[in-house]
Every structure is written in C-alpha cells, then in structure tokens.
C-alpha cells in the first residue's frame, strides 16, 4: 500500500482527467476501468472497477470536488486509507493503494 501520483504524460491511452462530481462510469483511472457506481455520498463516490490487464475486480473511492477543497476532509480520507490498509480480514475490502491519480483523490 502506498501513495502515488501519475504525471499526465504517463496516464495511458483512454485515460482522461475527470471531474470527481461527474459520473465516471466507463472512464479509466490509471490501470482501472470504472464499471459502475456503487454509492455516492456528499463526501465521495464508490465505483466497482476492473483492472485493465488482469480483469480483477476492485472498489475505487473518489472524493468529491468539494471534499478535495477541504483540508479537514482530505486528512480524514488519508487517515481512513491508512487505517483501512492495516486491516487484514477476508470480510473487509483490502486497500491496495491510495493517493492522487489524474488530479483525483482515490482509495
């Protein structure tokens, strides 16, 4: 688990900069294709995603633009990611990585 940022020139074909408030279904974020929206809150949107090469399923959480502008919420997001990353239980979704990807905070 770690934090990373992919520069624009390394985003890959089919990858676009996106507004986190738009429905990102069908968009590609790094190595992940967002297949459909699971839930949206005032804080974030969670998508069912698929790794482009392996086809393995993932859940991707994207902060809303309003949340991204609030330093308290960004810190909360980072704390959540770090805490969730320490959980190793087959009943809990495992955190693979978190951070900025294509100008979006994702987990």
């Amino acid at each position: 688990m770690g934090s990373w940022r992919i520069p624009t020139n390394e985003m890959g074909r089919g990858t676009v900069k996106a507004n986190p408030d738009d429905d990102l279904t069908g968009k590609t974020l790094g190595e992940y294709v967002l297949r459909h929206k699971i839930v949206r809150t005032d804080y974030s949107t969670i998508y069912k995603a698929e790794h482009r090469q392996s086809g393995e399923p993932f859940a991707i959480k994207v902060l809303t633009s309003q949340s991204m502008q609030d330093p308290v919420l960004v810190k909360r997001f980072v704390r959540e990611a770090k805490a969730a990353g320490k959980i190793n239980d087959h009943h809990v979704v495992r955190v693979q990585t978190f951070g900025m990807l294509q100008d979006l905070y994702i987990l």
Side-chain angles (χ1 to χ4, degrees):
M1 182 184 72
S3 179
W4 84 103
R5 181 173 173 78
I6 296 177
T8 304
N9 63 351
E10 296 178 20
M11 288 191 293
R13 183 175 174 207
T15 308
V16 296
K17 284 192 175 185
N19 179 337
D21 299 329
D22 293 341
D23 183 357
L24 302 178
T25 299
K27 303 289 187 203
T28 300
L29 294 179
E31 293 298 314
Y32 305 95
V33 179
L34 305 181
R35 294 298 181 196
H36 71 268
K37 189 184 321 180
I38 297 171
V39 66
R40 171 153 171 112
T41 68
D42 291 338
Y43 173 66
S44 65
T45 303
I46 299 175
Y47 293 90
K48 180 177 181 182
E50 183 177 288
H51 190 272
R52 288 193 308 177
Q53 293 179 354
S54 72
E56 186 177 356
F58 285 86
I60 305 278
K61 178 183 257 187
V62 179
L63 288 186
T64 64
S65 61
Q66 185 174 359
S67 296
M68 289 173 53
Q69 301 304 315
D70 185 333
V72 172
L73 291 178
V74 171
K75 286 180 184 178
R76 174 180 151 192
F77 173 78
V78 171
R79 273 195 321 270
E80 173 188 351
K82 287 179 179 180
K86 294 177 182 178
I87 299 171
N88 186 12
D89 185 290
H90 67 279
H91 295 291
V92 178
V93 174
R94 192 178 75 198
V95 173
Q96 296 287 328
T97 191
F98 70 94
M100 290 288 291
L101 180 63
Q102 296 166 220
D103 297 325
L104 302 173
Y105 282 102
I106 70 160
L107 164 63

